[in-house]
């Protein structure tokens, strides 16, 4: 028996779920100039399609129509069930309060940090898997340098988060 696209689970990462919830719950984020930075860190093509779809819709439809039109647009089987459920749940729970430009910038910064952190953790996990099959000391040293570099980047992101939320000074 074959699985329909609807039954296949893509298991979206936590960071991707948060990005999806934020852009659906606060579409005004997409109007912010820094919203394009999200696409650089987004690995999920399905969310990228929703991102582009919503960006087009924002300019073409009334904001009150947007939730219904978005649900209609993603109701086809080309979108995963998980994505459709997240969108529907987010729209159902959506607040009516819009974010101002400064709040949008903070949300975008947080989303970019989450996506970058997730990407670095995945790279580190891949390196650790490769480390088990390395034979030479030179290869081992290179993998350790790569891990150290990733750890430094992760620490930069953590520090940026603390600064963003006022836990550290610049």
């Amino acid at each position: 028996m074959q699985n329909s696209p609807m039954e296949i689970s893509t298991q979206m990462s936590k960071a991707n779920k948060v990005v999806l919830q934020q852009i659906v719950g606060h579409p005004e984020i997409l109007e912010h100039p820094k919203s394009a930075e999200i696409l650089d860190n987004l690995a999920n093509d399905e969310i990228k399609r929703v991102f582009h779809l919503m960006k087009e819709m924002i300019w073409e439809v009334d904001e009150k129509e947007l939730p219904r039109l978005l649900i209609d647009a993603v109701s086809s089987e080309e979108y995963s069930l998980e994505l459709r459920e997240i969108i529907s749940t987010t729209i159902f729970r959506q607040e009516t309060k819009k974010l101002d430009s400064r709040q949008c910038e903070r949300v975008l910064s947080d989303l970019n940090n989450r996506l970058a952190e997730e990407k670095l953790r995945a790279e580190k996990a891949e390196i650790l898997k490769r480390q088990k099959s390395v034979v030479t000391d030179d290869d081992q040293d290179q993998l350790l340098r790569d891990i150290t570099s990733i750890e430094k980047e992760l620490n930069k992101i953590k520090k940026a988060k603390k600064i963003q939320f006022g836990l550290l000074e610049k």
Side-chain angles (χ1 to χ4, degrees):
M1 187 169 135
Q2 280 188 324
N3 287 340
S4 71
M6 218 165 128
E7 296 171 14
I8 297 171
S9 175
T10 57
Q11 277 303 321
M12 214 178 286
S13 71
K14 185 175 179 178
N16 282 313
K17 286 178 186 178
V18 171
V19 168
L20 183 59
Q21 289 168 338
Q22 289 296 326
I23 64 172
V24 170
H26 298 285
E28 63 272 15
I29 290 171
L30 299 173
E31 296 176 80
H32 195 278
K34 290 188 176 183
S35 67
E37 293 175 17
I38 293 285
L39 288 175
D40 295 338
N41 288 320
L42 253 178
N44 188 305
D45 290 335
E46 204 172 34
I47 297 176
K48 284 182 181 181
R49 288 197 327 255
V50 170
F51 186 96
H52 288 297
L53 177 68
M54 287 184 66
K55 250 187 135 68
E56 289 174 19
M57 287 179 153
I58 284 174
W59 301 110
E60 296 175 7
V61 300
D62 181 45
E63 68 182 61
K64 292 177 183 172
E65 295 282 322
L66 187 63
R68 182 186 57 78
L69 292 173
L70 181 60
I71 288 175
D72 289 347
V74 299
S75 65
S76 71
E77 289 188 6
E78 78 179 74
Y79 292 97
S80 70
L81 179 60
E82 182 179 21
L83 178 124
R84 292 183 303 210
E85 287 174 348
I86 291 169
I87 289 174
S88 297
T89 303
T90 302
I91 288 173
F92 179 72
R93 295 179 179 162
Q94 187 173 12
E95 297 175 21
T96 55
K97 183 182 176 194
K98 285 186 137 193
L99 301 177
D100 63 31
S101 181
R102 186 169 174 230
Q103 290 170 319
C104 285
E105 192 164 338
R106 272 187 99 165
V107 169
L108 287 167
S109 176
D110 180 51
L111 295 176
N112 276 319
N113 285 339
R114 283 177 186 244
L115 290 169
E117 189 174 5
E118 184 176 87
K119 185 178 178 181
L120 289 169
R121 289 185 194 278
E123 286 177 25
K124 182 179 174 183
E126 185 61 36
I127 291 171
L128 290 172
K129 282 182 188 176
R130 286 191 324 214
Q131 193 176 24
K132 294 176 184 175
S133 62
V134 170
V135 180
T136 68
D137 286 342
D138 289 340
D139 291 342
Q140 184 73 20
D141 289 343
Q142 181 58 46
L143 290 178
L144 289 174
R145 283 192 294 274
D146 292 345
I147 289 172
T148 302
S149 173
I150 289 171
E151 285 295 329
K152 285 179 182 177
E153 289 298 315
L154 285 169
N155 285 333
K156 282 182 192 175
I157 292 170
K158 287 177 186 174
K159 185 176 179 180
K161 281 183 186 179
K162 287 179 181 178
I163 290 170
Q164 179 184 358
F165 294 107
L167 301 175
L168 269 183
E169 292 189 27
K170 291 183 182 181

